[in-house]
Amino acid sequence: MDALLAPVRQFLHCETPDEWIAVARDPAHLPTLLIDHANCENKAALTAHSLVRRYCLPKGKRHLLPKLDFYRELDALPEKAQILGKRTMGEEERTVFEELERNDLLVKMVRLIQEELHHFEQVLELMAARGIHYGPVTASRYARGLMQHVRHHEPAAVVDKLIIGAFIEARSCERFAKLAPHLDEELGRFYTSLLRSEARHYQDYLALAEQYAGENIDERIAFFGALEADLIRSPDSQFRFHSGLPVRLDSGGAAC
């Protein structure tokens, strides 16, 4: 486990504050934690799907990519033919996907879509078993605080999005690991089971960012690393899975 987590911790510029763990382990905040975790898994799948559409397909061919619901109906890790949607398409359309099979972003992101949707369903099952209703919670400032710094020209924009994806996945991995020992056995075991995939997701995002940039991106990684750490360490009026340093909160995760 230490070997798996060491690169993640080295990549991040800070660890999750103990103050966040103290709030997250409080049973009163468990519904908010799980609902926001479920939302994060679903958003991760949506983000990956958006990257595939935007950067893997010509504008006139984007309609050929199966919608997200297609992946929800598949097994967690289907065969590549299913991943690419070939079984739902005619012979003419299949030539598009034969070309896309050679695209690293497509293969990595569609596998990520599958895994994130699977995790989403797992969280919903845990919530249902505990009588926790999947209701709306407002989004945290975290992803928005990172995305507002994405550059507007290409390939800089996709490089920034991929770097941000790496930090989000790395932070999720680090939080799962740090929080797991403080939760009940079932939840602790579930969060521990997510570590390997989250660690691979961060590495995939980072490798793709380097590939798309075609040049050294250390400076840009350092920029987003400092920004991400500031969001994690600065006071935050909301409690969410990626929120910062908690202020005094009520049981719903809002500031008192």
Side-chain angles (χ1 to χ4, degrees):
M1 190 63 67
D2 287 342
L4 177 71
L5 293 170
V8 173
R9 290 167 174 155
Q10 185 176 7
F11 178 65
L12 296 169
H13 288 213
C14 73
E15 67 174 290
T16 292
D18 291 338
E19 293 89 338
W20 185 89
I21 296 295
V23 172
R25 65 185 294 186
D26 184 344
H29 295 131
L30 183 61
T32 301
L33 178 73
L34 290 178
I35 292 170
D36 195 55
H37 178 189
N39 287 342
C40 289
E41 300 289 1
N42 197 47
K43 287 175 187 174
L46 285 166
T47 297
H49 193 260
S50 175
L51 287 170
V52 170
R53 283 178 57 83
R54 173 68 178 82
Y55 295 104
C56 292
L57 285 165
K59 195 169 184 179
K61 299 289 186 181
R62 289 175 189 169
H63 68 282
L64 297 179
L65 186 71
K67 297 184 185 302
L68 201 61
D69 284 345
F70 172 82
Y71 300 101
R72 294 185 195 275
E73 298 170 2
L74 300 177
D75 295 332
L77 291 173
E79 297 297 320
K80 182 177 283 190
Q82 286 182 301
I83 285 179
L84 297 174
K86 289 182 180 179
R87 294 183 185 178
T88 67
M89 299 184 177
E91 290 297 327
E92 250 178 57
E93 296 162 327
R94 291 184 185 188
T95 59
V96 176
F97 287 90
E98 287 167 3
E99 178 65 28
L100 289 178
E101 282 182 322
R102 296 191 284 273
N103 186 305
D104 284 344
L105 177 62
L106 176 82
V107 175
K108 287 183 171 66
M109 289 298 100
V110 173
R111 185 179 184 187
L112 187 147
I113 290 169
Q114 278 296 144
E115 292 179 339
E116 302 290 17
L117 287 176
H118 181 56
H119 298 162
F120 172 68
E121 296 294 339
Q122 287 179 300
V123 179
L124 291 186
E125 288 174 8
L126 283 167
M127 289 170 55
R130 292 159 185 259
I132 298 173
H133 174 65
Y134 182 45
V137 296
T138 55
S140 73
R141 65 180 187 175
Y142 179 77
R144 183 174 63 253
L146 294 170
M147 289 297 293
Q148 67 184 8
H149 294 278
V150 170
R151 292 168 291 183
H152 299 293
H153 58 283
E154 299 292 0
V158 66
V159 170
D160 285 353
K161 290 173 186 176
L162 291 167
I163 292 172
I164 289 170
F167 275 105
I168 292 173
E169 297 292 334
R171 179 59 63 188
S172 297
C173 184
E174 186 262 354
R175 287 210 157 166
F176 288 142
K178 190 165 183 178
L179 182 57
H182 302 285
L183 299 174
D184 63 70
E185 184 180 354
E186 182 186 34
L187 271 180
R189 187 170 60 249
F190 172 58
Y191 276 9
T192 300
S193 75
L194 300 179
L195 297 182
R196 194 166 300 279
S197 60
E198 299 299 312
R200 179 170 30 80
H201 294 168
Y202 119 75
Q203 291 168 340
D204 284 349
Y205 268 122
L206 201 57
L208 288 167
E210 292 168 346
Q211 178 182 320
Y212 269 78
E215 60 185 17
N216 188 286
I217 57 172
D218 288 350
E219 185 176 334
R220 202 63 184 162
I221 293 171
F223 169 79
F224 279 110
L227 181 63
E228 196 270 349
D230 183 64
L231 289 166
I232 292 299
R233 291 184 296 206
S234 59
D236 198 336
S237 61
Q238 286 183 314
F239 168 69
R240 298 292 184 266
F241 190 80
H242 290 103
S243 57
L245 199 64
V247 297
R248 187 164 159 265
L249 302 168
D250 62 24
S251 61
C256 296

